[in-house]
Amino acid sequence: MGEHDLLTNSAKLRAAPLPRVVAPVLKPRFGTGYRAGHEMTSADSFSFSKDRRLTKASEYERVKRDGFARRGKLLMLNVVPVGSSDPCRVGFVTSRRVGGAVVRNRIRRRMREIVRQHQDDLCPNFWIVLVARRDAANASYQQLEHEWLRLARRASILL
């Protein structure tokens, strides 16, 4: 094979069309949660979407001002009844006093998962704020879950 043959072979390789790769269509990792006019499917009931959370400062202030609190060693539960017939909404608070960003995010993820697992057991018409206390940083998932259920029973927000 000569040098000319190598050049023509490489030119042919460059000119050959590449096979078309089609990326798979990805479905959302989490369900869409509750929406007005939207029937809940089994996949949706296990999601915990943004519309099920408290997001505005005014909502947190209303819970603190008008609601009542149940305090535990790891968590503090603030609850206020609301007039609408929507499912309950939950907000999460982890202050810098609890720990660094990694620790705070871990606690928030655990609290969100615990509430998500038990969202079907919660009474509607409540806004809930779950505040992590300093000892929550060293608590296991099971300890946090036990504390959440104990406080929720004391606040009478479980069905």
Side-chain angles (χ1 to χ4, degrees), residues 89-108:
R89 296 178 63 204
V90 184
F92 305 96
V93 176
T94 52
S95 71
R96 274 187 253 152
R97 200 182 319 174
V98 173
V102 173
V103 173
R104 293 194 313 269
N105 287 330
R106 182 186 315 122
I107 294 169
R108 254 193 305 269

Side-chain angles (χ1 to χ4, degrees), residues 31 38-47 116 119-120:
H38 173 73
E39 287 192 34
M40 295 283 281
T41 64
S42 62
D44 288 339
S45 65
F46 292 113
S47 69
R116 186 189 72 82
Q119 67 184 336
D120 294 333

Side-chain angles (χ1 to χ4, degrees), residues 6-22:
L6 288 175
L7 290 175
T8 55
N9 284 339
S10 66
K12 287 179 188 175
L13 288 175
R14 276 185 274 155
L18 295 173
R20 185 169 180 208
V21 177
V22 179

Side-chain angles (χ1 to χ4, degrees), residues 46-98:
F46 292 113
S47 69
F48 193 66
S49 60
K50 283 258 189 187
D51 56 350
R52 297 289 303 266
R53 293 187 223 155
L54 299 176
T55 54
K56 298 177 183 165
S58 61
E59 296 168 340
Y60 283 87
E61 289 169 8
R62 178 178 173 193
V63 173
K64 187 172 183 173
R65 184 186 65 236
D66 301 336
F68 58 92
R70 297 292 179 259
R71 289 169 185 81
K73 183 180 179 198
L74 306 174
L75 302 170
M76 183 169 67
L77 183 72
N78 295 302
V79 180
V80 67
V82 290
S84 66
S85 61
D86 292 337
C88 71
R89 296 178 63 204
V90 184
F92 305 96
V93 176
T94 52
S95 71
R96 274 187 253 152
R97 200 182 319 174
V98 173

Side-chain angles (χ1 to χ4, degrees), residues 25-41:
V25 177
L26 299 176
K27 294 181 181 177
R29 199 168 98 182
F30 301 106
T32 55
Y34 173 82
R35 284 181 289 178
H38 173 73
E39 287 192 34
M40 295 283 281
T41 64

Side-chain angles (χ1 to χ4, degrees), residues 113-152:
E113 177 65 12
I114 289 166
V115 172
R116 186 189 72 82
Q117 291 284 331
H118 297 283
Q119 67 184 336
D120 294 333
D121 302 331
L122 293 172
C123 295
N125 307 329
F126 282 103
W127 284 0
I128 302 165
V129 174
L130 200 55
V131 181
R133 301 184 80 161
R134 189 174 287 165
D135 290 339
N138 300 321
S140 68
Y141 178 89
Q142 288 75 22
Q143 290 171 319
L144 288 170
E145 184 175 33
H146 181 266
E147 179 92 345
W148 154 253
L149 290 171
R150 187 178 69 78
L151 293 173

